[in-house]
Amino acid sequence: MRFLRDLELRGRRVFLRADLNVPLDRGRISDRTRIEATLPSLRFVLQRSGRLLIASHLGRPDGERRPELSLRPVAEDLAEALGVPAELAPDCIGETTERLVNALGPGQALVLENLRFHAEEEKNDPEFSKALASLADQYVNDAFGAAHRAHASTVGMARHFRERAAGFLLEREVSVLSDLLGAPAEPFVAVLGGAKVSDKLGVLQSLLGRVQVLCIGGAMAYTFLRAEGKPVGRSRVEADQVSLARETLREAEARGVRVVLPTDHLAAERPQAEAQARIVGADAFPENLLGVDIGPKTADAFRHEIEQARTVFWNGPMGIFEIEPFSRGTLAVADAMAACGGTTVVGGGDSVAALRRAGKLAAVSHVSTGGGASLEFLEGRELPGLRALEEEATEPMEKAR
Ligand code: 3PG
C-alpha cells in the first residue's frame, strides 16, 4: 500500500475520500471528531499545492437528494478549519462539478456533495465509479470509518488510478488496530458493551485468542448472565444468542481468559430518566426491573482491570449512556481508560462520546473514527476499502499532466 506522503501532489487533482459522516443536530455539527481527524491529510495536500477534491457520504439518504443531508455544514466547517475557501459543488459528478474542478488552482479545495445522493455509490456501480474517477489524477482514501463498505468511492474508483494512496488517518487506524492483533503488551484487556451480542460475536471470537481479560457490560451482558443461569429481570436478552454466549464463556475458560461480568446493576422499571432506579445484586435481580447501567461494584471491578492493563480496547457503552442518570458506568470506564498507563484504544460512537463528556478524549492513545470498521478489522476480516488500495490499477484512466 502506498501512503499520502509517497505521492507527488503538486498541481495534481487529488480525489480524497474522507469519512465526514458527522452527527448533525438541527443542521449543526454536534461532533467534529471525524473532521479533526481528517485535517492532517487535507492540509498536507493543500500545503503541497495539490488541487483538492474532498468527498464523503453523510447519513443514509438512500440515493435521494435530501437537503438535510447536504455536506454544506461540513464544507463551511472545513473552510474555517483549513483557512481556505472550500466551496461545495452542487453534486459529486456532472458538468457543473467538472467545471468547478477544472477551475481549481493548486492549493485550493472543493467539497463534493454527498456521494450517497446517488444510489450508484452504495451499489459500487462501475459507471458511477468511472465518473467519479474522471474528476481526478490521484485517489486518496482516508475514510477508515467507511473502509468496511464496498462502495464506488471506497472500492470501485480505486482501479482507475495508478497514483493512489492511504491518507494519514487511515494509515494510523490500520497501524494501531494491527498492533492489537499482533503482539499487544500484556495484560491485554477488552471492554465490550452496547446493546447486542450479535453485533460483537465476531470480535469476541477474535479477541478471545488475544486478551487475558474480557469485561462485558451494557445490555449484551444480560445475554451472558442468562447463559450463566443468572436472573436478569426484564432486561434485554437476545434469546437466540444465549447458547452462543454460553459457548463463548466456555471457550474463554478453555483459553484461560478471565471474563468479568457485572455483579451488580442499576435497574429501573422503564428505560427513562424519570424512572426510579436502584442498585441490585446480580443474584437478586427483581422480576419487574430491567438493567440500565452496570452497578458501582462492577464499575470498580472494570476500573481495576483497565488500570492494571498494558493494552486496552474498549467498544460500547455500559448502560443507556444517553440518559444522564444511567451514564455513570460508562463514564467510569472512560475515566479508567484515561488513567491507564498502557496503550488504550477506543472505538464506537458512544464510547467516544463518553470520553468526550468525561473530558478525557486526549488522554487515550487512540480514538478510532470507525465504529463498524474497527470491529470488522479486529474480527480479522479484510476491509474492502483497504484491499482496493492494494490491488493493481486494472483500468487506469491516464490523465495528462
Ligand atoms: C459510520 O458512521 O460508521 C460510517 O460513516 C459508515 O456509515 P454507514 O454505516 O452508513 O455505512
Side-chain angles (χ1 to χ4, degrees):
M1 193 185 289
R2 290 172 81 195
F3 300 104
L4 182 49
R5 71 182 78 80
D6 303 326
L7 296 182
E8 176 49 67
L9 297 159
R10 179 170 296 275
R12 308 290 275 154
R13 296 171 302 170
V14 183
F15 186 105
L16 194 142
R17 173 48 159 118
D19 183 357
L20 302 171
N21 183 24
V22 290
L24 294 174
D25 183 10
R26 276 159 284 171
R28 296 175 75 104
I29 298 167
S30 56
D31 177 354
R32 297 184 67 254
T33 307
R34 282 180 166 166
I35 295 181
E36 285 289 334
T38 309
L39 288 176
S41 291
L42 303 180
R43 289 200 179 108
F44 188 84
V45 175
L46 294 174
Q47 280 159 5
R48 279 170 178 63
S49 302
R51 296 152 68 199
L52 178 61
L53 281 64
I54 305 167
S56 178
H57 71 283
L58 179 63
R60 293 176 174 172
D62 292 331
E64 271 174 43
R65 180 168 271 276
R66 300 239 313 263
E68 71 279 16
L69 291 177
S70 165
L71 279 165
R72 181 163 300 285
V74 172
E76 287 168 2
D77 186 295
L78 284 173
E80 200 177 323
L82 294 168
V84 295
E87 189 181 343
L88 177 72
D91 200 351
C92 58
I93 54 169
E95 270 176 38
T96 311
T97 303
E98 278 162 29
R99 247 197 327 275
L100 289 168
V101 171
N102 291 336
L104 206 59
Q108 293 183 344
L110 179 73
V111 179
L112 307 183
E113 186 52 288
N114 194 341
L115 293 156
R116 289 192 187 170
F117 284 173
H118 293 262
E120 293 85 352
E121 160 67 358
E122 291 185 71
K123 290 184 186 141
N124 193 14
D125 179 86
E127 287 309 310
F128 183 67
S129 298
K130 217 172 189 171
L132 288 173
S134 73
L135 295 171
D137 309 303
Q138 298 177 333
Y139 171 74
V140 176
N141 190 349
D142 211 17
F144 178 73
H148 58 320
R149 305 292 185 218
H151 294 171
S153 65
T154 56
V155 171
M157 279 183 80
R159 78 174 72 93
H160 295 296
F161 293 90
R162 287 211 175 87
E163 295 176 40
R164 74 182 115 127
F168 296 133
L169 172 61
L170 191 120
E171 181 184 356
R172 174 156 167 79
E173 293 266 19
V174 169
S175 147
V176 171
L177 296 173
S178 300
D179 286 349
L180 293 187
L181 293 180
E186 298 182 1
F188 179 10
V189 175
V191 183
L192 296 182
K196 287 171 143 189
V197 182
S198 43
D199 288 348
K200 305 276 160 75
L201 267 178
V203 81
L204 265 168
Q205 285 298 325
S206 160
L207 289 174
L208 274 187
R210 298 181 162 89
V211 299
Q212 285 71 53
V213 182
L214 181 60
C215 299
I216 302 179
M220 62 185 271
Y222 303 115
T223 302
F224 281 92
L225 289 169
R226 170 69 58 80
E228 283 202 325
K230 297 255 186 327
V232 296
R234 288 172 35 242
S235 305
R236 177 183 178 150
V237 168
E238 279 173 277
D240 57 343
Q241 302 291 327
V242 172
S243 59
L244 273 172
R246 195 173 295 123
E247 260 172 48
T248 307
L249 290 173
R250 271 198 214 119
E251 193 182 332
E253 197 180 346
R255 286 176 177 270
V257 175
R258 201 150 45 78
V259 178
V260 187
L261 285 169
T263 53
D264 64 346
H265 310 269
L266 184 67
E269 270 184 30
R270 283 168 288 122
Q272 283 159 3
E274 51 294 349
Q276 282 279 341
R278 63 185 168 100
I279 305 297
V280 301
D283 291 315
F285 208 118
E287 283 287 312
N288 62 328
L289 300 186
L290 53 92
V292 291
D293 195 6
I294 53 172
K297 262 199 228 146
T298 308
D300 276 349
F302 287 7
R303 186 198 311 271
H304 177 77
E305 298 297 347
I306 294 167
E307 288 180 2
Q308 304 291 310
R310 290 183 64 210
T311 310
V312 193
F313 173 69
W314 173 31
N315 179 295
M318 298 294 109
I320 308 175
F321 161 75
E322 53 285 10
I323 299 178
E324 207 278 330
F326 309 154
S327 64
R328 280 197 201 112
T330 308
L331 290 175
V333 169
D335 280 340
M337 290 293 285
C340 172
T343 301
T344 43
V345 180
V346 185
D350 288 324
S351 315
V352 176
L355 270 176
R356 182 175 304 99
R357 227 168 92 185
K360 301 283 164 64
L361 215 47
V364 294
S365 317
H366 180 71
V367 175
S368 178
T369 51
S374 63
L375 286 181
E376 286 197 21
F377 191 93
L378 291 177
E379 278 175 35
R381 277 156 72 167
E382 188 175 53
L383 304 190
L386 301 185
R387 182 158 138 208
L389 280 178
E390 275 159 2
E391 281 171 353
E392 288 296 303
T394 48
E395 293 173 55
M397 293 162 71
E398 297 296 345
K399 313 282 168 11
R401 290 196 73 138

